[in-house]
Amino acid sequence: MDTNMSERPVIEITGARKLFGAVKALDGADFAIAPGECVGLVGHNGAGKSTLVNVINGGLGLNEGQITLSSGQVSSDFSIRVARAQGIRCVFQELSLCPNLSVVENMRIAHSGLSGPGWRSQARSMVDELLDKIFPGHGIDSGRAVSELSIAQRQMAEIAIAFSSHGAPTALVILDEPTSSLDASRAEQLIAYVKTFNAAGGAVIFISHILGEVLDVSDRIVVMRDGKVVSDKPSSAFTVGSLVQAMGSVAAESAGRRTVAKRAVSEAPVIAFPRERDAVEFEAFKGELVGLAGLSGHGQTQLIVDLFMSVSGDWWARREPVAAFVAGDRIVDGVFPIWSILLNMTIAVLGRWQRFGLTDRAQEAEYGRTWHEKIGIRTPNLDHPILSLSGGNQQKALFARALGTSAPLVLMDDPMRGVDIGTKQDVYQMLREEADSGRTFIWYSTEMDEVCVCDRVYVFREGRIVRELEGDAVSEENILAASFGERVA
Amino acid sequence: MTQLVSIYRSRWIWSFVAAAVVWTITVMFTGGASMVGLTQAAFTFAAFSIIVGLGQMFVITLGPGNVDLSIPATMTLSGTVALKFINVDASLIVPGFLIAAGIGLGVGLANYSLIKLLRIPPIIATLAMSFIIQSTAIWTNRGLRIRPPQPLSDFAVGFTFGLPNLAWVALLISALIYLLLEKSVFGRWVIAVGQNMRAARLAGIPVDGVRCLTYVLCAVLAAICGFFLASFSGGAALNMGAEYLLMSIAVVVIGGTSVAGGDSNVPGIWGASLFMFLVVSMLNTYGFDAGYRMIMTGIIIIGVIIAASSRTVRI
């Protein structure tokens, strides 16, 4: 179907089967990718995408199945080492740079060949050059520690490191949700670079829940469901609608904005957060969906965190919390990695059932059952470790943690990163119902269609609110215009 | 069967296995003659390590960098001040005990104030604090060694139902701490803070309150331990807490608590404390001199820690 297919695939996997306990993460999947090809990989959370990726990069061994290398030889001991020697690189969904090291030092970890005197400057020039090429105007000082970078910058640095080559040429780059923290303009830059990389003979596997992006960038799209490949066609044969159908969920119509009754002028806000630097004072009213928009990393997360800190105590917890927080940067802000799913879900509401300071296990388990069903976490047992869940399902557990509290205010820091369309629709529905019953949501999102669902939107630029949009004025054009300010005339 | 597996997989069981092995070796060497005496001595001396170990465990649960190095000084100060206040008057035992606990409270608050207000890492803050406490102890004590009143020293060296009274005290405290760690909301918060402090704060946990209370708890337990140790050994001595610096940390680690934080257990402290005492008596029985004894103790601790950590499989 593709002229490139006449060449030997960079890697070919047949009959892959991988079990995690009783869960079949891969159930007889076949996959191959040729040099110069970009393959889109789509599917619901838990469909097996991340598992397949981890098999390809050597991180996971297969229970059954065969892996053929580009040399045509069947690999019996495929591992991370073998994968790297084949020139296979991976950008993970959960960012995986060492936060305490600088970008340059992370570059050294990726390329053990960078050694001897002067490796630092060599690494720096390599990574800077790639960053400039992929993301012009990135603003990253590669000598700084990764933890000092914004999440979008971290993602850019990780992508640049993955594409870099030293010694063995880079044959295949796997991008797992590479744009989840990037705004639209950065995503476009990445897509453009992927095309030039393809033209030079490099292969790319592109995983994203943003289907438009996948259609844009890929030559061929592989759809996964329940650990199997259910569809494998050139991307020209797909539309967003037919992709959604192939993934096995009902085609989601574009979510319309709610019609909200006009507020009385005298109504007092649930929360106001005046700051000197803002052009418009931040306020949120009862039952409102307030969106925070703008390019990523322009102060939206900071506002949400400051807001949360200002209404919750460092020294004393209120029995009825004012606000609940849903993390987007799950590993840093949300997940307790040692704990089970259940303990992760109940930590914010635990105080509700305490008697003489002791927890109530029965009530806790009941809460878990209710939310397990309500929000549809894909696991047979909530006592499994939280990290056994796929990213999207971890996110559901975090939603359950926040929505289950009695807090009238829910703060969401781009919570839909890496969440599939089906889940998103479920959560949107839940948010709307909760808002209708009087809850207030403050929602930062990097995705335009999410922001456009909100009743009112604050647009951020360079750390401050520059514009407030309300009702029908909430549109992609207006938001983009405000986020770029005078640059778009 | 699944229960068997879960026991095998729990890390704390190994500290008991180690203690039992050392006990058997020692008893075999003496031909069984020392069985009762060795066991009773082990429980008596282990009791002190258990009490301070439980406090240290709570602090270590708070996550990397959290450790209380002021434990020995706190023990000395509380023992000195309490016995000086009681002044061999049996009617003042209870107020004396409360004063000891009060000293712990004060030290805990002072420790966390240093950590929080001056933003000093806990390891430095508690070490600095221990110099202040130790100097205070020297100043109040002035070289006097005041005996505990008779009923108190009788209690401290006495037995009930074949077990040392102090072991019963340690058991009672362990039960309370177990309840606090495993069943209480506060315990759940401590474990959450130890795994991810930022996520804990963003889940609405009052992180400063939790950490402060944990340091206070640790210091109060150290002070109580100092009170009983002074009563047991016939008066407070200025260096009496010294060996509990390493001991409090060693029993926590050998007991299977993760030094990375967020993952602790109470039973392991018992196994580890018994083990630590029994190792020293085993080496004594075999007639090693002091120098070799310390080298061997060090090697054994390292060996146990390596063995314990290699089994820990994280998903």
Side-chain angles (χ1 to χ4, degrees):
Chain A
M1 63 189 112
D2 197 317
T3 49
N4 284 330
M5 285 311 254
S6 55
E7 291 179 49
R8 215 166 252 306
V10 181
I11 188 163
E12 184 173 10
I13 294 178
T14 45
R17 214 173 284 278
K18 176 74 193 171
L19 306 176
F20 293 111
V23 181
K24 286 182 197 157
L26 285 181
D27 192 12
D30 299 327
F31 184 87
I33 182 163
E37 196 182 18
C38 178
V39 176
L41 189 56
V42 298
H44 279 298
N45 291 328
K49 303 182 302 288
S50 291
T51 311
L52 181 64
V53 163
N54 280 320
V55 168
I56 294 174
N57 72 26
L60 282 175
L62 285 173
N63 294 91
E64 270 174 52
Q66 181 174 305
I67 299 175
T68 313
L69 308 178
S70 57
S71 59
Q73 170 197 354
V74 175
S75 176
S76 53
D77 58 341
F78 196 70
S79 64
I80 293 179
R81 185 183 294 269
V82 178
R84 287 204 66 87
Q86 294 288 311
I88 296 173
R89 310 274 182 269
C90 193
V91 174
F92 290 97
Q93 183 177 350
E94 310 295 349
L95 303 178
S96 58
L97 298 179
C98 298
N100 56 332
L101 302 181
S102 69
V103 177
V104 169
E105 285 158 348
N106 272 289
M107 185 75 181
R108 167 67 181 77
I109 292 176
H111 299 287
S112 51
L114 281 170
S115 59
W119 68 265
R120 237 170 235 284
S121 51
Q122 202 186 344
R124 182 187 270 264
S125 66
M126 274 168 72
V127 74
D128 284 350
E129 189 187 323
L130 261 171
L131 274 170
D132 291 341
K133 207 191 279 176
I134 309 174
F135 302 108
H138 50 80
I140 299 170
D141 173 2
S142 53
R144 274 172 63 186
V146 169
S147 59
E148 293 170 27
L149 303 178
S150 74
I151 187 164
Q153 289 178 319
R154 269 184 270 166
Q155 197 156 29
M156 290 192 267
E158 179 149 12
I159 290 169
I161 290 175
F163 275 107
S164 65
S165 62
H166 184 269
T170 304
L172 168 63
V173 176
I174 304 165
L175 300 169
D176 191 353
E177 296 287 346
T179 59
S180 59
S181 305
L182 301 182
D183 56 57
S185 60
R186 293 292 180 207
E188 269 169 35
Q189 292 176 336
L190 174 64
I191 289 172
Y193 182 76
V194 166
K195 295 204 162 138
T196 57
F197 182 70
N198 284 153
V204 170
I205 298 175
F206 194 94
I207 302 174
S208 175
H209 284 115
I210 305 168
L211 299 178
E213 224 172 63
V214 178
L215 283 167
D216 249 12
V217 71
S218 322
D219 306 316
R220 181 161 65 92
I221 295 180
V222 171
V223 183
M224 291 190 75
R225 193 199 306 163
D226 300 328
K228 296 188 184 77
V229 171
V230 292
S231 182
D232 180 353
K233 285 187 270 190
S235 46
S236 52
F238 284 109
T239 61
V240 170
S242 66
L243 266 183
V244 171
Q245 227 157 30
M247 284 158 61
S249 60
V250 190
E253 72 278 33
S254 170
R257 198 171 307 118
R258 303 182 306 151
T259 41
V260 221
K262 196 110 181 79
R263 264 195 328 272
V265 183
S266 58
E267 191 186 326
V270 178
I271 190 160
F273 200 65
R275 300 185 303 180
E276 284 277 308
R277 57 177 183 267
D278 292 332
V280 189
E281 188 172 306
F282 180 88
E283 294 176 318
F285 294 86
K286 189 169 157 62
E288 226 185 2
L289 278 173
V290 180
L292 307 184
L295 301 177
S296 72
H298 276 241
Q300 298 95 332
T301 300
Q302 197 55 44
L303 178 92
I304 288 185
V305 169
D306 288 348
L307 206 57
F308 183 83
M309 295 297 181
S310 75
V311 294
S312 59
D314 277 325
W315 292 91
W316 201 254
R318 305 184 197 211
R319 193 152 255 222
E320 300 296 335
V322 175
F325 176 86
V326 183
D329 193 349
R330 285 184 289 274
I331 298 299
V332 176
D333 296 340
V335 163
F336 298 108
I338 299 176
W339 270 349
S340 69
I341 304 160
L342 181 65
L343 295 188
N344 266 286
M345 284 163 74
T346 55
I347 183 67
V349 289
L350 211 54
R352 186 189 297 169
W353 312 301
Q354 67 176 324
R355 296 177 64 192
F356 310 111
L358 299 185
T359 56
D360 186 331
R361 285 286 162 111
Q363 296 253 38
E364 192 176 357
E366 178 58 38
Y367 179 92
R369 266 195 298 280
T370 311
W371 281 95
H372 188 180
E373 199 179 316
K374 196 166 171 183
I375 208 160
I377 298 173
R378 274 218 188 185
T379 176
N381 191 342
L382 290 180
D383 292 328
H384 287 175
I386 183 88
L387 295 183
S388 72
L389 293 179
S390 67
N393 278 299
Q394 288 177 27
Q395 194 67 54
K396 289 186 193 174
L398 296 186
F399 263 110
R401 182 196 288 174
L403 294 180
T405 64
S406 56
L409 196 60
V410 178
L411 309 176
M412 305 191 290
D413 175 25
D414 199 7
M416 300 296 190
R417 266 177 218 160
V419 175
D420 68 64
I421 286 197
T423 309
K424 278 183 186 172
Q425 294 299 332
D426 294 349
V427 175
Y428 293 163
Q429 188 56 37
M430 210 175 289
L431 297 189
R432 262 188 231 115
E433 283 165 18
E434 296 262 335
D436 286 341
S437 63
R439 238 182 187 179
T440 307
F441 289 88
I442 296 170
W443 187 0
Y444 164 45
S445 174
T446 44
E447 282 173 45
M448 203 50 88
D449 48 342
E450 288 179 2
V451 177
C452 289
V453 172
C454 295
D455 306 327
R456 208 151 50 79
V457 170
Y458 290 103
V459 185
F460 283 68
R461 192 172 71 234
E462 282 152 14
R464 55 194 285 269
I465 300 175
V466 290
R467 184 88 190 273
E468 179 185 3
L469 300 168
E470 190 163 1
D472 292 332
V474 178
S475 69
E476 185 163 357
E477 300 78 61
N478 285 347
I479 291 171
L480 279 178
S483 4
F484 285 102
E486 55 285 344
R487 268 175 277 169
V488 174
Chain B
M1 186 60 205
T2 49
Q3 247 171 342
L4 264 179
V5 171
S6 79
I7 284 183
Y8 178 79
R9 283 174 56 180
S10 55
R11 273 163 293 143
W12 58 265
I13 197 75
W14 299 99
S15 60
F16 283 92
V17 172
V21 168
V22 176
W23 183 85
T24 312
I25 293 172
T26 315
V27 169
M28 268 163 45
F29 185 82
T30 57
S34 63
M35 214 155 88
V36 176
L38 179 70
T39 312
Q40 287 184 335
F43 274 101
T44 307
F45 286 96
F48 300 117
S49 321
I50 290 167
I51 297 173
V52 288
L54 289 169
Q56 189 72 276
M57 177 195 77
F58 245 90
V59 171
I60 287 178
T61 310
L62 283 177
N66 284 290
V67 68
D68 186 353
L69 300 185
S70 67
I71 284 178
T74 309
M75 290 171 71
T76 307
L77 182 65
S78 84
T80 316
V81 173
L83 288 193
K84 192 173 177 187
F85 170 82
I86 294 171
N87 203 9
V88 211
D89 179 353
S91 65
L92 290 178
I93 291 175
V94 173
F97 177 79
L98 294 178
I99 282 178
I103 286 173
L105 180 74
V107 169
L109 288 174
N111 272 337
Y112 196 67
S113 306
L114 275 188
I115 294 169
K116 182 69 191 171
L117 297 179
L118 304 183
R119 298 187 185 176
I120 309 176
I123 194 164
I124 309 287
T126 55
L127 192 60
M129 187 48 81
S130 81
F131 284 109
I132 300 175
I133 303 166
Q134 186 75 23
S135 308
T136 316
I138 293 168
W139 174 73
T140 46
N141 176 292
R142 291 175 196 284
L144 288 171
R145 191 180 173 97
I146 298 171
R147 297 193 55 78
Q150 201 56 45
L152 184 57
S153 66
D154 287 348
F155 173 82
V157 298
F159 290 84
T160 307
F161 304 121
L163 263 190
N165 287 334
L166 290 178
W168 289 108
V169 171
L171 190 64
L172 177 72
I173 294 176
S174 301
L176 291 176
I177 291 289
Y178 179 82
L179 212 59
L180 197 62
L181 182 72
E182 304 280 343
K183 307 282 178 198
S184 81
V185 175
F186 173 72
R188 197 71 77 79
W189 284 352
V190 170
I191 297 169
V193 170
Q195 291 176 68
N196 188 339
M197 195 148 99
R198 184 172 159 87
R201 182 63 186 81
L202 290 172
I205 296 172
V207 170
D208 280 321
V210 168
R211 294 181 72 203
C212 181
L213 216 52
T214 305
Y215 276 92
V216 167
L217 178 75
C218 178
V220 167
L221 287 176
I224 291 175
C225 184
F227 177 81
F228 283 119
L229 183 59
S231 311
F232 176 81
S233 46
L238 283 174
N239 63 349
M240 73 180 194
E243 67 170 300
Y244 290 94
L245 180 60
L246 174 65
M247 191 65 95
S248 68
I249 299 171
V251 297
V252 172
V253 177
I254 295 175
T257 289
S258 159
V259 278
D263 184 14
S264 304
N265 74 85
V266 172
I269 303 265
W270 277 75
S273 298
L274 291 169
F275 170 73
M276 289 295 285
F277 174 79
L278 288 166
V279 164
V280 177
S281 18
M282 175 181 77
L283 298 175
N284 268 333
T285 317
Y286 278 72
F288 288 104
D289 67 27
Y292 276 114
R293 219 159 57 213
M294 289 180 85
I295 293 172
M296 292 293 287
T297 315
I299 291 174
I300 290 171
I301 293 176
I302 292 167
V304 169
I305 291 174
I306 290 171
S309 56
S310 61
R311 263 190 331 274
T312 320
V313 182
R314 280 277 162 79
I315 302 162

